[in-house]
Amino acid sequence: MGNLRTALLAWLFARSTGRDFLLRVEDLDTGRTADGAEARQLADLAALGLHWDGDVVRQSSRTDLYEAALGRLDVYECYCTRREILAAPSAPHAPDGAYPGTCRNLTEGEREARRRNRPAAVRLRSTVSSFTVTDLLHGEYTGTVDDVVLRRGDGTYAYNLAVVVDDAAQGVDQVVRGDDLLSSAPRQAYLTSLLGGTPPTYAHVPMVLGPSGIRLAKRDGAVTLAERGGPAVVLPEIAASLGLRGRTPHEMLDGFDPARLPRNPWTLPL
Ligand SMILES: [Zn+2]
């Protein structure tokens, strides 16, 4: 329900401004063999009438693009484990959770020695500590930028790099997604600017919560399109939660105004 509600909003933002609605499968972690979840999600979108323009793009088939982008950025290898990063004293003025820069200035000899123990992640050598993005619901939002991981030790390209490369390649100028990703938008916009692009405008929309007050999950009960009774039940339910009228996405376009969207999470009645 959370993904479907966000997808409906993304479709409304796109269609109400004459934009295409693009569909990208972000499967760098799951790989191509994920258990039918992707096919189910695409079928759900189509059943709701959220039709997309062009072909579905899959990140798992685009690693050449990510590798090329990595080659254009100022980066360094990092050999830290998660535990070492948490245990390290944070750098002066660095916000909590920011990478403390342990591996930033190692000598080639030190790198050589560490490489033997552990496969290296690749981090951006950031020259800023914060960056500001424009969000249609949150206004100007300034957030932390640290030496973000661009490729993990296991060779997987990081989401933060992949979305930036894909948005640029697909001509995405507006990103609509859940507001759990608001705090990562400044990093992504900064990366975009480093790669010579213009950061998109964002609309980070409120999440759907389960009865426990945290992000909705499978364990919460009837949370999928099928479980809740299909489009005829779900579309009016989502529309009401957004203060929109209409039984189809096209009908909801009439009078769609981002300024009037709710700013708080929606707790799904179960
Ligand atoms: Zn490190």
Side-chain angles (χ1 to χ4, degrees):
M1 284 294 281
N3 290 339
L4 297 176
R5 187 173 183 255
T6 300
L8 172 64
L9 283 168
W11 187 93
L12 290 167
F13 271 94
R15 292 291 184 241
S16 65
T17 54
R19 288 177 162 90
D20 284 347
F21 177 63
L22 304 185
L23 186 60
R24 190 163 74 220
V25 177
E26 304 192 325
D27 57 352
L28 288 177
D29 284 321
T30 55
R32 282 175 218 233
T33 51
D35 67 359
E38 176 192 320
R40 216 161 35 241
Q41 290 180 7
L42 300 194
D44 282 358
L45 293 179
L48 291 176
L50 302 177
H51 300 291
W52 54 89
D53 298 292
D55 294 331
V56 176
V57 166
R58 286 182 183 75
Q59 289 188 326
S60 55
S61 66
R62 297 164 66 82
T63 48
D64 288 355
L65 284 174
Y66 311 142
E67 185 180 351
L70 193 71
R72 294 170 52 206
L73 295 164
D74 187 7
V75 300
Y76 63 89
E77 291 186 355
C78 170
Y79 316 92
C80 298
T81 61
R82 194 177 295 265
R83 181 181 303 185
E84 284 166 349
I85 292 171
L86 289 173
S90 29
H93 314 299
D96 286 348
Y99 178 66
T102 317
C103 302
R104 202 177 219 257
N105 299 309
L106 298 178
T107 65
E108 195 41 51
E110 289 168 326
R111 291 187 194 286
E112 204 52 57
R114 282 167 175 75
R115 237 173 247 144
R116 268 181 242 125
N117 298 328
R118 203 175 284 156
V122 175
R123 286 185 181 274
L124 176 70
R125 192 182 295 278
S126 171
T127 57
V128 303
S129 57
S130 69
F131 203 77
T132 300
V133 299
T134 303
D135 187 285
L136 295 169
L137 301 185
H138 297 264
E140 303 278 291
Y141 174 83
T142 301
T144 302
V145 177
D146 66 352
D147 288 356
V148 57
V149 169
L150 302 177
R151 193 177 64 204
R152 299 201 308 241
D154 66 3
T156 306
Y157 285 91
Y159 176 76
N160 280 317
L161 177 65
V163 286
V164 161
V165 170
D166 288 336
D167 284 351
Q170 295 182 273
V172 171
D173 68 346
Q174 184 185 73
V175 172
V176 181
R177 59 188 185 182
D179 61 11
D180 56 329
L181 288 167
L182 177 62
S183 65
S184 65
R187 290 186 190 94
Q188 292 158 10
Y190 174 59
L191 270 175
T192 300
S193 70
L194 289 178
L195 288 167
T198 304
T201 298
Y202 294 93
H204 286 92
V205 300
M207 306 286 291
V208 179
L209 305 182
S212 49
I214 58 172
R215 185 191 180 128
L216 188 67
K218 280 252 179 243
R219 64 175 175 276
D220 289 327
V223 299
T224 68
L225 182 61
E227 287 165 353
R228 292 190 82 77
V233 176
V234 163
L235 278 170
E237 188 175 28
I238 293 179
S241 80
L242 293 167
L244 299 172
R245 274 197 301 236
R247 288 158 302 164
T248 66
H250 272 284
E251 288 179 10
M252 292 177 215
L253 270 178
D254 189 26
F256 175 69
D257 178 2
R260 296 174 61 186
L261 289 175
R263 304 305 162 102
N264 295 316
W266 177 46
T267 302
L268 185 68
L270 286 163

